[in-house]
Amino acid sequence: MKNTVLLLGAFFLFSWRIAAQDRPNIVLIFSDDHTYQAIGAYGNQLARTPNIDRIAREGALLRNNLVTNSICGPSRATLLTGKYSHKNGYKRNDRTLFNVDQFLFPRALQDNGYQTAYVGKLHLNSLPQGFDYWNILPGQGYYYNPDFIGQSKDTVRQEGYVTDLITRFSLDWIDKRDTSKPFFITIGQKATHRSWEPALEDLGAYDDVNFPLPASFYDDYKGREAAARQDMSIASTLRLKEDLKIGIDFDNAFGYRRLTPGQRAKIKSYYEKVAEDFKSRNLSGKALTEWKFQRYMKDYFATANSLDRNIGRVLDYLKEKGLDKNTVVIYASDQGFYLGEHGWFDKRFIYEESLKTPFVIKYPGVIQPGTTVDQLVANIDWAPTLLDLAGVKAPSEVQGQSFLPLLKKNSKEVKWRDAVYYHYYEFPEPHHVYPHFGMRTERYKLVRFYGGIDNWEFYDLRNDPGELKNLYGDGSSKTIRALRARLKALAESYEDDEALALLKE
Ligand code: SGN
Ligand code: CA
């Protein structure tokens, strides 16, 4: 009898382990403010992103992956919960404490036999929950010699460049994991967040490139009051000193005090040459604005070089360890970003460049190489999709749905949503973008700005992809009336009471 029990026990343990190994490992590389226009696979010819492109080539590229509130903390809160900001409680990047007692998908993965880890930028004013291992940056973190808070709760300064360190800690954890269980890890990169500080080996990597000005660089914001009143322009908001490092005191300035003498010497010597060149040009007006744009682009793209190189490190590691076949690798960013479109940097607006975020995913044997997905996916779908990959069902409070069927063969036949609902809140700091809610369909966009102004905007993306002509008028056209009804229905279905109250007025 005893032997039978033992034998049965061993059998169950064995089959559970087999099942565990059948389920894929999942690596989510999640960056900050790295936009799709800056990626080769999304059509940028100047960007050097061979490793992101490699994921897209070996798997799928999502062309319309939209965020539902385009800033950092809210995007991460939605990642963890699969819910809109008004449901998960994290609407703004302020001192709100993220409620960790609600449903969090990593906890569901743990409950289903996964080992989980979170490394890098979290930015939720709370410590990670649902992770067996974590090591995070406090707040926004630093690029050079950053601090990390680990599970002992001690803050430890690490020497090196943030993107390399986050990758190293992530791979160290994978190396030491319990190999009898599948694993999930978020590698949460700080790059390419403002103020775009490249790794030492990447300083000047794009100095020989002249970045073309986007067509809407000199937007006059006609008929778009919120756009006219923002404070995120390259011409007036971007700071010569803190952002573009002209005349910065590298011995004392924020983020640079922590440099070692060797690091400081390299950074100083690079930017001092930039500053000398700048002074000799004596620029003003449009020439000055365009110079700022070039410098912004050069530092932004150079910062992304390390991001891509470290993605390559992860891919190479998985291959070397024989983990590549059974590991899903995702690269995504928390939102898109303006690279001079409308004359801007930063994000927040429902307009395309900050609404859409890059998302590429590979899963050998399940997703065919070179797949592209055009359907409207949203970041509320990320949690249910990750759970689906692990064979776990999302609870009903999750507002998104798994898009795994769209990644598989014959995705055109899958019935899918035809509109994504959006709601942004943070105002007035730091960039004076009025709160707004709205929706994006395949062809149209309808938006309502509030909180000090009260304006509707309507765009026909087929004829005006740059969103320069607000066609709302008096709102009486048949298309607009139908879309308003649709917007209300969406706000009702997601139970967004704040928006519904405004729609009643
Ligand atoms: C900082 C930046 C802003 C940026 C927010 C939010 N200013 O406040 O430009 O919009 O973070 O970014 S800085 O002077 O500190 O660089 S987010 O990605 O965390 O949402
Ligand atoms: Ca961000």
Side-chain angles (χ1 to χ4, degrees):
M1 179 64 189
K2 201 173 154 205
N3 275 350
T4 322
V5 170
L6 272 179
L7 223 79
L8 267 174
F11 173 76
F12 281 123
L13 195 70
F14 179 72
S15 40
W16 186 78
R17 283 198 168 196
I18 294 271
Q21 281 157 12
D22 273 351
R23 293 181 300 162
N25 307 306
I26 306 170
V27 176
L28 169 62
I29 306 169
F30 198 60
S31 67
D32 198 0
D33 295 1
H34 188 226
T35 193
Y36 63 94
Q37 314 93 284
I39 296 175
Y42 281 89
N44 189 311
Q45 312 262 327
L46 301 169
R48 293 165 210 149
T49 52
N51 294 297
I52 300 174
D53 302 349
R54 181 169 146 201
I55 301 176
R57 210 175 38 243
E58 293 176 14
L61 176 140
L62 279 67
R63 288 198 199 287
N64 290 301
N65 198 331
L66 315 187
V67 295
T68 49
N69 180 3
S70 182
I71 42 172
C72 176
S75 173
R76 281 166 183 74
T78 293
L79 161 69
L80 293 173
T81 61
K83 293 188 285 193
Y84 274 90
S85 308
H86 64 273
K87 286 285 178 189
N88 66 40
Y90 211 85
K91 294 176 176 173
R92 304 172 181 84
N93 273 335
D94 55 13
R95 305 214 170 272
T96 320
L97 203 62
F98 177 58
N99 169 17
V100 292
D101 295 327
Q102 60 189 315
F103 169 79
L104 303 175
F105 87 86
R107 228 164 6 214
L109 288 180
Q110 282 180 320
D111 292 344
N112 284 277
Y114 269 73
Q115 275 168 103
T116 59
Y118 197 108
V119 181
K121 181 174 172 184
L122 182 64
H123 202 208
L124 285 174
N125 291 318
S126 60
L127 295 175
Q129 294 285 332
F131 297 99
D132 300 307
Y133 169 79
W134 51 266
N135 198 10
I136 62 168
L137 300 174
Q140 297 280 11
Y142 295 96
Y143 276 105
Y144 308 115
N145 309 333
D147 296 329
F148 282 82
I149 305 180
Q151 280 157 303
S152 66
K153 314 260 165 77
D154 293 336
T155 301
V156 182
R157 184 184 292 196
Q158 302 282 351
E159 190 174 324
Y161 186 67
V162 72
T163 316
D164 298 332
L165 291 166
I166 290 170
T167 307
R168 173 158 41 98
F169 298 147
S170 300
L171 297 184
D172 282 353
W173 176 78
I174 300 177
D175 238 10
K176 289 196 208 104
R177 78 195 190 283
D178 171 357
T179 53
S180 71
K181 290 177 171 183
F183 68 87
F184 166 70
I185 184 168
T186 302
I187 306 179
Q189 294 293 3
K190 169 181 171 62
T192 49
H193 194 273
R194 193 183 180 191
S195 46
W196 318 295
E197 293 159 31
L200 299 182
E201 65 264 48
D202 297 317
L203 285 167
Y206 286 85
D207 280 4
D208 58 345
V209 175
N210 187 38
F211 290 87
L213 283 186
S216 61
F217 190 73
Y218 288 114
D219 191 351
D220 62 5
Y221 314 122
K222 208 168 135 236
R224 287 159 289 142
E225 190 185 1
R229 295 177 65 183
Q230 51 49 54
D231 181 16
M232 47 188 260
S233 74
I234 291 170
S236 32
T237 317
L238 205 64
R239 302 158 302 192
L240 269 177
K241 197 196 244 177
E242 294 84 349
D243 292 314
L244 304 178
K245 298 104 185 167
I246 299 302
I248 198 164
D249 174 3
F250 286 109
D251 298 317
N252 296 300
F254 180 82
Y256 297 105
R257 276 191 293 267
R258 49 183 56 235
L259 294 173
T260 64
Q263 293 168 331
R264 182 170 290 121
K266 284 196 180 126
I267 291 176
K268 252 187 170 170
S269 112
Y270 174 71
Y271 285 108
E272 272 169 11
K273 282 197 202 93
V274 174
E276 265 167 45
D277 174 66
F278 174 69
K279 278 185 199 117
S280 74
R281 288 170 191 258
N282 207 8
L283 302 167
S284 62
K286 279 190 172 177
L288 174 60
T289 305
E290 289 176 25
W291 184 90
K292 286 184 181 172
F293 168 73
Q294 291 299 333
R295 283 306 318 165
Y296 161 41
M297 289 295 93
K298 286 177 185 9
D299 275 353
Y300 182 98
F301 278 77
T303 304
N305 270 12
S306 169
L307 177 64
D308 188 80
R309 189 164 54 241
N310 276 286
I311 294 169
R313 248 172 96 193
V314 175
L315 295 174
D316 292 345
Y317 169 90
L318 294 171
K319 194 161 196 176
E320 195 187 297
K321 300 283 173 182
L323 290 167
D324 55 326
K325 297 273 175 310
N326 197 33
T327 301
V328 178
V329 180
I330 298 169
Y331 172 70
S333 180
D334 62 344
Q335 12 68 207
F337 210 72
Y338 295 94
L339 299 181
E341 299 86 0
H342 304 284
W344 297 338
F345 67 99
D346 213 65
K347 49 259 180 177
R348 298 163 197 277
F349 280 103
I350 193 176
Y351 306 133
E352 292 296 275
E353 293 79 7
S354 47
L355 176 68
K356 280 189 199 172
T357 201
F359 194 105
V360 292
I361 174 168
K362 77 184 199 75
Y363 186 1
V366 176
I367 303 174
Q368 288 198 332
T371 300
T372 51
V373 176
D374 288 318
Q375 285 96 330
L376 296 169
V377 165
N379 61 346
I380 47 169
D381 302 327
W382 295 349
T385 303
L386 291 164
L387 289 174
D388 199 7
L389 285 165
V392 180
K393 206 172 154 341
S396 60
E397 70 188 87
V398 165
Q399 295 180 301
Q401 82 191 79
S402 166
F403 54 79
L404 188 55
L406 299 181
L407 300 171
K408 293 182 177 168
K409 244 177 137 183
N410 306 322
S411 80
K412 299 274 176 302
E413 284 150 34
V414 177
K415 207 169 151 354
W416 193 252
R417 76 163 69 80
D418 60 3
V420 169
Y421 180 72
Y422 183 89
H423 199 158
Y424 167 83
Y425 304 86
E426 190 168 85
F427 182 80
E429 296 300 330
H431 290 294
H432 206 272
V433 174
Y434 282 97
H436 55 286
F437 61 93
M439 73 175 179
R440 159 83 147 82
T441 68
E442 191 203 329
R443 177 163 176 189
Y444 299 111
K445 191 174 288 178
L446 182 69
V447 198
R448 165 89 179 265
F449 288 90
Y450 66 94
I453 57 172
D454 183 6
N455 294 325
W456 285 91
E457 293 183 11
F458 169 68
Y459 298 95
D460 179 347
L461 299 169
R462 191 183 294 168
N463 299 320
D464 177 25
E467 299 165 293
L468 298 169
K469 293 184 210 91
N470 174 12
L471 299 178
Y472 191 79
D474 64 1
S476 67
S477 88
K478 210 170 134 198
T479 313
I480 294 176
R481 276 187 290 132
L483 287 172
R484 271 180 74 149
R486 188 69 213 289
L487 179 66
K488 189 164 176 235
L490 284 176
E492 273 162 1
S493 74
Y494 293 122
E495 300 177 331
D496 185 354
D497 296 338
E498 217 171 325
L500 286 170
L502 286 159
L503 288 171
K504 269 200 204 96
E505 278 172 8

